[in-house]
Amino acid sequence: MLKNINNPMSQEVLDALPADYYVINIHEKKILQTNDKRVTPGDLCHKVLFNKNEPCENSCNSCLCQQTHISNNKAAFNISCEKEGELKYYRVRSSLINEQTVLVTLDDETEFLKKKEAFEFNAKRLERAEQLVQFGYWEYDLKKRRYTTSLGGQLIYGIKTNRVSFNEVQAFNLEEDKALFKRTFIDMTENKKGFDIKYKIKRLSDGEIRTLRAIGNLNSNETLAFGIVHDITEKEKIQQIRKEHQEYVTLLFENMSSAFAQHRIVTNDEGECVDAIIMDVNPFYEEFFNLRKEDVKNRSIREVFPHVEEEWMERFANVAFTGVPGNFTEYIPWVDKYVEVAVYAPQKGYFVTSINDVSQRVKSEKELKEAKEKAVESDRLKTLFLTNMSHEIRTPLNGILGFSNLLSQPGLTNENRLYYGKIIENSGKRLMTIIDDIIDVSMIQSDQIEINYRAFDVNELLLEIYTTHRKLNDTKLKRIKFNFKSTNVSSLIYSDRAKIYQVLNNLLDNAFKFTQHGKINFGVASITDEQVTFFVKDTGVGIKKEKQQYIFDSFRQAEEGQARAYEGFGLGLAIVSGIVEKLNGTVELNSEYGNGAEFKVILPRNNQKIATERSIENRSQHVAEKQVMNRKRVVSFEDEPVSINLLRTIVERKGYDIVNFEDAGEGIEYIRQNSADLVLMDVRLPKMNGYDATRIIKQEFPEIPVVIQTAFAMLEDRKTAFEAGCDDLIAKPYTVDTINQKLNKYLVPDD
């Protein structure tokens, strides 16, 4: 009969079963086979059988059917669910087929539970009826000589089947009544007479002597005898049935996996509900509320739960008075749980509650809602970011393309050309800043940012930043006071100078952007052996309190949308936060909307790593004073005409010779024949890439510095370049200053 896990039981066997059976995979929670035509194999068992979105679990979060596997044989449990707006109660029985599958059947006991209270209420009336009418119905087929009885007849005779032969029925009779019983049936069948007799039997099931009254007659075609049999002990029999029935109900009540309780309404003189008496509770109720049955039984709800919500009592009373079931989900603070409460009334003035812990479900629903809200917000921010990015990139591109076109127009004065060229240069710098910001954020988010520690002078850094911003913001400084605060103690720290410059520069860019008048101060707030605290403070518009929580997030700004008063990409503060975190520091914000903002950057000083002597001052400050004694030769590897012309112009203006090669092989051969003082190497070349060309040059001429120039500016590209043997790297697009710095570094002799 049993087959593999995908076909564990013959379908013919299942279809022949008298009840609905389900073969379930307890790991996948799927119905593999069933004889229930309403169910499709592959459906989730908890969904189609109990209308539940989650698997049926006990208090230990274990699948209820898996308890079958634990018991290694059979298991049974009770479960409730809502179907078609009605709360249903089922008794589920499961048998283990193999380690993965069980055979399950279920009995609907909803009506049984609903009638429980009504049953007790009518107990005395039922007892009186039992005393008056105790009987069993029977039929006797004269041709087949087969006796068929109703359930009452079965109980009277103590037999397990409702069909027995005439001889078997006669065998129940006591010896002294057998002749009477036989003669009565012969008289009925031969003489067509009805009968009404009394006789005694010895019940087959337990041997007890019973006194019966039997009444019988033939039907119209004289082929069937029928009648009733009375048992004077019917009252006792019914009481026994009630006892067994009550035991079953009690077992169900005691083993329910819900906090179950029965109540009776207490009313005032006007018939209004004022309280409710707890009549009985099950063990799970005791466990759920951490109370003992003896401490709550026959006490009022308000006494046991003094903080019960008035709304709960109103709901209970409404169900008890109207008989309309109720269901609601609420939070119970004294047990710190969300519960689902099902309420129904077995009779007027009474109500029963079934309480289930749904905290996990509520939590999941809340998390799902929050996730949905975040997804919607993320989609909004993405759209806003793309719109903003389009604007920010197209604006400088408009300046570059527009004024480039104007430069090609005839009749321009030299003054016009210089003016247009400056606009193109500034637009290019702005576009480059946007690209750099995007790359910086990408590197920060992918943890590819590279930190280069060295000792440097904080005061010199502050002076450099101050000088730069005075030049950049000379127009604004007519209405803004701009100062910096240096430190008068040892000003050396060990960190990444370039990254700190970028952090303070971004903060000052924001300060100048959002301050139209007043003052801007920056510098060192304090410095100790352990840490240094930088600050940037302005009297600008400030930041609203509700905006401060996400001001350091990428692509977020204090003002968002197309009606913003300020330009920007929303990346500056995200870059600040990412760099500072990488430097093992923190950023603090103190701002009041309308009264400016102050940012503090707290970084470790790493005092123990600082060199005892100050770093040598930047050689670029003295480049103008140096004289080139000999003509130096630069060999460039570049295949793009615009870049070739740009490099030639910059190098020749510095007084150096330059030779360019589009073919890397030809360039390498030239160096072999003529040597070189500096190599500027592009990465993407027609026949041989710049990395391979660099490896050959450094292998043959290790003393010649090679600077790779590339549009690939990610950390992995830098790593590949240096692994090839280059001495330095320039990221495209580059400026005149960038090339000049490299020329000064490698072609100007040290002092």
Side-chain angles (χ1 to χ4, degrees), residues 183-201:
R183 187 172 58 254
T184 300
F185 266 78
I186 292 174
D187 195 31
M188 177 185 64
T189 56
E190 293 182 357
N191 300 321
K192 320 303 181 191
K193 291 183 178 179
F195 66 87
D196 182 350
I197 62 172
K198 289 183 179 180
Y199 59 99
K200 292 183 180 296
I201 68 167

Side-chain angles (χ1 to χ4, degrees), residues 162-332:
N162 65 339
R163 293 184 178 183
V164 293
S165 66
F166 179 81
N167 291 334
E168 288 174 319
V169 172
Q170 192 176 22
F172 300 146
N173 301 329
L174 294 183
E175 195 65 36
E176 60 269 24
D177 289 331
K178 286 184 178 181
L180 172 64
F181 188 84
K182 184 177 181 179
R183 187 172 58 254
T184 300
F185 266 78
I186 292 174
D187 195 31
M188 177 185 64
T189 56
E190 293 182 357
N191 300 321
K192 320 303 181 191
K193 291 183 178 179
F195 66 87
D196 182 350
I197 62 172
K198 289 183 179 180
Y199 59 99
K200 292 183 180 296
I201 68 167
K202 184 177 183 180
R203 191 163 59 189
L204 181 63
S205 59
D206 56 10
E208 183 179 344
I209 304 302
R210 313 285 290 186
T211 301
L212 307 180
R213 181 185 179 188
I215 301 174
N217 211 334
L218 289 176
N219 64 355
S220 58
N221 57 16
E222 300 179 354
T223 60
L224 184 71
F226 62 92
I228 60 173
V229 58
H230 288 258
D231 185 349
I232 62 172
T233 60
E234 187 63 24
K235 178 180 178 180
E236 289 78 7
K237 186 61 180 177
I238 292 177
Q239 288 177 338
Q240 181 63 26
I241 295 173
R242 289 183 58 228
K243 180 181 178 182
E244 293 176 356
H245 183 74
Q246 183 61 40
E247 288 176 352
Y248 178 76
V249 173
T250 301
L251 182 63
L252 178 65
F253 180 75
E254 294 293 321
N255 289 279
M256 287 182 66
S257 57
S258 302
F260 196 85
Q262 304 172 69
H263 309 80
R264 174 174 54 83
I265 288 294
V266 177
T267 60
N268 57 18
D269 294 339
E270 287 74 32
E272 300 170 334
C273 173
V274 294
D275 208 339
I277 300 299
I278 303 172
M279 300 169 61
D280 199 5
V281 299
N282 69 341
F284 194 82
Y285 186 100
E286 297 177 90
E287 178 184 341
F288 188 86
F289 290 107
N290 194 25
L291 295 168
R292 297 186 306 169
K293 179 186 289 191
E294 54 265 33
D295 294 332
V296 300
K297 192 172 182 179
N298 297 322
R299 294 176 62 190
S300 72
I301 288 182
R302 294 187 187 278
E303 183 182 3
V304 176
F305 304 112
H307 303 297
V308 65
E309 297 287 343
E310 191 63 35
E311 184 180 3
W312 285 48
M313 295 302 300
E314 292 175 359
R315 289 168 172 165
F316 295 155
N318 182 65
V319 172
F321 289 145
T322 65
V324 179
N327 190 286
F328 59 91
T329 301
E330 292 286 354
Y331 174 71
I332 302 181

Side-chain angles (χ1 to χ4, degrees), residues 593-605:
Y593 187 63
N595 292 319
E598 179 179 16
F599 290 88
K600 287 186 177 181
V601 178
I602 305 168
L603 297 172
R605 187 181 181 189

Side-chain angles (χ1 to χ4, degrees), residues 113-146:
L113 290 176
K114 287 184 178 180
K115 295 177 180 178
K116 175 178 177 292
E117 292 292 332
F119 180 86
E120 294 178 352
F121 179 79
N122 294 320
K124 290 185 178 180
R125 180 185 299 174
L126 180 60
E127 289 177 357
R128 290 193 297 270
E130 290 169 351
Q131 292 174 358
L132 295 174
V133 185
Q134 299 184 32
F135 66 95
Y137 175 80
W138 58 266
E139 293 179 351
Y140 181 69
D141 189 323
L142 275 67
K143 292 182 178 180
K144 297 181 180 179
R145 294 182 60 81
R146 186 169 59 192

Side-chain angles (χ1 to χ4, degrees), residues 1 3 7 9-17 33 35:
M1 182 181 294
K3 298 184 179 180
N7 190 16
M9 180 169 287
S10 170
Q11 188 63 42
E12 291 82 5
V13 173
L14 283 177
D15 292 338
L17 295 176
Q33 288 182 278
N35 59 356

Side-chain angles (χ1 to χ4, degrees), residues 43 49 65 100 105-106 146 148 205 231 233 305 337 404 436-437 444 481 529 589 593 604 616 652:
D43 287 345
L49 298 182
C65 283
Q100 299 187 49
T105 182
L106 48 143
R146 186 169 59 192
T148 303
S205 59
D231 185 349
T233 60
F305 304 112
K337 293 178 180 177
S404 296
D436 285 343
D437 283 349
I444 288 170
K481 292 182 179 181
D529 289 344
L589 168 62
Y593 187 63
I616 298 175
E652 289 179 348

Side-chain angles (χ1 to χ4, degrees), residues 698-715:
K698 294 302 289 186
Q699 183 177 6
E700 297 184 20
F701 308 99
E703 74 283 356
I704 300 178
V706 178
V707 177
I708 283 184
Q709 47 191 350
T710 176
F712 304 106
M714 302 303 289
L715 181 60

Side-chain angles (χ1 to χ4, degrees), residues 48-100:
V48 300
L49 298 182
F50 308 115
N51 196 29
K52 291 181 178 289
N53 293 326
E54 300 293 336
C56 314
E57 295 180 343
N58 60 17
S59 58
C60 298
N61 297 326
S62 176
C63 171
L64 296 176
C65 283
Q66 285 179 318
Q67 299 305 307
T68 302
H69 182 62
I70 295 173
S71 64
N72 201 31
N73 188 11
K74 296 183 178 180
F77 57 88
N78 304 304
I79 191 167
S80 62
C81 62
E82 188 175 35
K83 285 189 175 181
E84 302 177 353
E86 180 181 4
L87 189 64
K88 295 282 190 177
Y89 295 89
Y90 294 97
R91 179 66 172 176
V92 183
R93 294 176 173 83
S94 59
S95 299
L96 186 67
I97 297 176
N98 55 41
E99 291 185 354
Q100 299 187 49

